[in-house]
Amino acid sequence: MSGILLADDEPAFQRLTGAWLRGLGHDVRVVGDGDAARAAFAEAPADLVLLDLAMPPHHDPEAGLALIASFAPAPVIVMTGHADHALALKAIDAGAWDFLAKPVDPDILRIVVARAMERAGLARELAALKARDTGAEDMGLIGTTPVMAALRDLIRRVAPTRLPVLVLGPSGTGKELVARALHYASPRADRKLVPVHCGAIPPELLESELFGHLKGSFTGATSDRPGLVETAAGGTLFLDEIGEMPAVMQVKLLRFLADGSFQPVGARAPRAADVRIVAATHRDLAACVADGSFREDLYYRLKGVVLRTPSLDERPGDVPLLASVFLRRASNGMGQFTPDALGWLTTRRWPGNVRELRAAVECAAALAPQSATGVDVGATDLAFAVGDPVADLPTIGTPQTLEEEIAALEYRRITETLARTGHNHTHTARHLGLSRVGLLKKLDRMGLR
Ligand SMILES: Nc1ncnc2c1ncn2[C@@H]1O[C@H](COP(=O)(O)OP(=O)(O)OP(=O)(O)O)[C@@H](O)[C@H]1O
Ligand SMILES: [Mg+2]
């Protein structure tokens, strides 16, 4: 976002006012009609819009009023030669920041512009603050393990840039959350984040969905319709399941990525939109390139930066935290895991990753018995929730004494490490600082051999 967009059809006014504003140090773009103003704003939003109400093709102030909303959230200063009180009120009612009668007094223009720019600056700061509040820390990306800390750090560093981001990782690992975190930690946070599920839209509709269409361009196109790319102007377009994008669309997307231009279905001239691209897939895109199902040139365009979301296998240490947060949310803060439940959660493998863990906890919380202090979710509830055989559960009682508590902790550490090492005794012993014999003795005692 930068500068002033001046929309007026009189060449003399364009020239003089443009020069005056530039002289005050503003960056000014000039357009001569309403459609051009809308297109210029979509291509690159402005901090402030100076809008003549009666421009071609209608020269009708009412049509000008209808334009005002399309520049949100930038303040719009309306100017017109047909100044009258009623029109001024209508303009303010339609969302204008201020109203100036022509001929515009340069000194008044300077003051009004300065105040509007100040407000635009404040609005941006507020949006940035809000974004920081709900930003990467709190964007729902839970995890304190080093891989998650590194991911968060990358998000923070990449978010302010315009680089396209490719988010890769197994299913259920939070790729969509990463896309959201990127958007809300970026200077585009006050604009839209528009998700597109490339696999869910029928291939024949995808082009019109993305790039829009003109009235009559195909059967059923009864009016002009902007595409998601235009909706996302100034913001972020999240291309989810990019690996599912049909080959014909890959070419068109490539062009858009290369120069920001696209062609609505049925349009003769290309249009432009300033959009930040984040794409995601659980597929191995490099393999898709190798087998010819994904264009190599598009692949390289998309991976300005690659962010990888780790599977839960790579960060078992986050399982208890994730589970506790999901339980807290599912039980309005009135739930707890029994110690055997925590042991079970950290021992089990989670092929469906966070999505599976979350569903398991939510289901178990709904089914578990209520006690005076809320719901007590035990290992059996969880095993039942994921469809694991309940009979095989190792049983350890709720610890009462310090000794029992230590035993429970020991049990948890050992089972968790066994799971991580694929039940390799030598590696498990090394991780825990035990001798192999020492570990085997403990396993015997716990009935885990
Ligand atoms: N780090 C995380 N912290 C909190 N919740 C998470 C995290 N990762 C994933 N989730 C939750 O897990 C579920 C799946 O996440 P998401 O939809 O982002 O996964 P995905 O990687 O896009 O999966 P897919 O490839 O199947 O689309 C969501 O409910 C999400 O809120
Ligand atoms: Mg997803």
Side-chain angles (χ1 to χ4, degrees):
M1 285 230 263
S2 76
I4 298 176
L5 181 64
L6 172 60
D8 195 293
D9 59 319
E10 280 176 55
F13 184 86
Q14 288 182 352
R15 217 173 34 249
L16 287 174
T17 312
W20 167 249
L21 290 169
R22 284 192 192 97
L24 295 172
H26 298 294
D27 184 14
V28 185
R29 280 182 293 163
V30 180
V31 290
D33 65 70
D35 286 345
R38 220 195 312 237
F41 193 84
E43 190 175 338
D47 292 315
L48 167 65
V49 179
L50 284 168
L51 181 70
D52 180 26
L53 273 192
M55 282 187 297
H58 310 292
H59 295 279
D60 168 15
E62 295 290 334
L65 290 173
L67 267 179
I68 294 174
S70 43
F71 304 114
V76 177
I77 298 172
V78 158
M79 308 168 299
T80 173
H82 318 269
D84 67 50
H85 193 65
L87 189 58
L89 276 180
K90 272 192 190 167
I92 303 291
D93 204 36
W97 160 258
D98 213 334
F99 186 93
L100 295 176
K102 280 183 172 178
V104 174
D105 177 334
D107 284 322
I108 293 183
L109 179 65
R110 181 170 52 81
I111 293 167
V112 171
V113 165
R115 277 181 38 221
M117 289 298 251
E118 191 184 15
R119 189 198 88 141
L122 284 176
R124 259 203 315 283
E125 267 173 46
L126 186 69
L129 276 176
K130 272 199 206 146
R132 204 176 318 146
D133 267 1
T134 51
E137 276 84 3
D138 196 35
M139 263 322 296
L141 268 183
I142 300 161
T144 55
T145 46
V147 272
M148 284 306 283
L151 177 61
R152 251 194 234 106
D153 181 51
L154 270 175
I155 291 174
R156 250 189 303 268
R157 286 183 0 223
V158 172
T161 72
R162 265 216 62 177
L163 291 167
V165 180
L166 181 59
V167 190
L168 298 176
S171 191
T173 51
K175 294 184 292 295
E176 191 161 343
L177 285 185
V178 168
R180 294 183 60 80
L182 277 167
H183 175 74
Y184 287 107
S186 82
R188 298 166 173 262
D190 58 339
R191 298 275 162 162
K192 289 204 176 102
L193 166 68
V194 178
V196 188
H197 291 272
C198 303
I201 300 173
E204 64 279 10
L205 293 185
L206 193 54
E207 181 177 7
S208 142
E209 276 293 310
L210 268 182
F211 299 139
H213 62 245
L214 298 192
K215 180 177 171 178
S217 54
F218 53 86
T219 331
T222 50
S223 59
D224 289 4
R225 186 155 165 245
L228 296 170
V229 159
E230 268 172 293
T231 311
T236 306
L237 187 69
F238 173 42
L239 298 168
D240 204 0
E241 315 295 356
I242 186 79
E244 320 302 314
M245 183 161 275
V248 276
M249 277 309 294
Q250 291 180 25
V251 188
K252 294 182 177 164
L253 183 63
L254 179 68
R255 172 172 166 203
F256 178 59
L257 263 80
D259 63 7
S261 78
F262 63 94
Q263 207 143 343
V265 178
R268 288 220 196 87
R271 292 187 191 168
D274 161 37
V275 165
R276 207 261 178 98
I277 301 282
V278 177
T281 177
H282 65 277
R283 284 183 190 274
D284 178 351
L285 263 197
C288 296
V289 169
D291 72 20
S293 58
F294 202 84
R295 289 184 71 103
E296 188 174 12
D297 41 12
L298 179 58
Y299 174 58
Y300 287 113
R301 277 276 173 197
L302 289 169
K303 62 185 218 125
V305 180
V306 175
L307 297 182
R308 286 180 198 281
T309 50
S311 69
L312 272 186
D313 267 355
E314 294 167 69
R315 53 181 191 119
D318 280 334
V319 169
L321 176 64
L322 282 159
S324 314
V325 174
F326 295 145
L327 177 58
R328 191 160 8 106
R329 286 187 198 150
S331 64
N332 287 324
M334 297 291 288
Q336 54 274 318
F337 290 113
T338 61
D340 68 327
L342 282 172
W344 184 88
L345 281 166
T346 45
T347 327
R348 187 180 187 268
R349 305 277 310 276
W350 296 96
N353 293 298
V354 187
R355 179 179 291 119
E356 187 187 15
L357 175 64
R358 179 177 171 171
V361 172
E362 287 171 357
C363 170
L367 301 179
Q370 289 278 338
S371 76
T373 51
V375 312
D376 287 317
V377 177
T380 29
D381 303 310
L382 288 161
F384 183 75
V386 295
D388 281 6
V390 174
D392 297 353
L393 280 179
T395 46
I396 50 166
T398 311
Q400 305 291 336
T401 63
L402 176 64
E403 210 170 304
E404 282 168 358
E405 200 158 327
I406 292 169
L409 182 70
E410 190 179 48
Y411 179 90
R412 196 148 82 222
R413 277 293 303 279
I414 290 177
T415 49
E416 182 187 320
T417 314
L418 279 172
R420 262 162 68 181
T421 60
H423 290 262
N424 180 314
H425 290 161
T426 312
H427 290 172
T428 302
R430 182 147 17 101
H431 274 294
L432 295 171
L434 296 170
S435 68
R436 209 178 116 81
V437 178
L439 173 69
L440 293 179
K441 274 196 189 140
K442 283 182 192 291
L443 293 182
D444 279 338
R445 191 157 37 81
M446 293 173 177
L448 284 176
R449 267 183 92 178

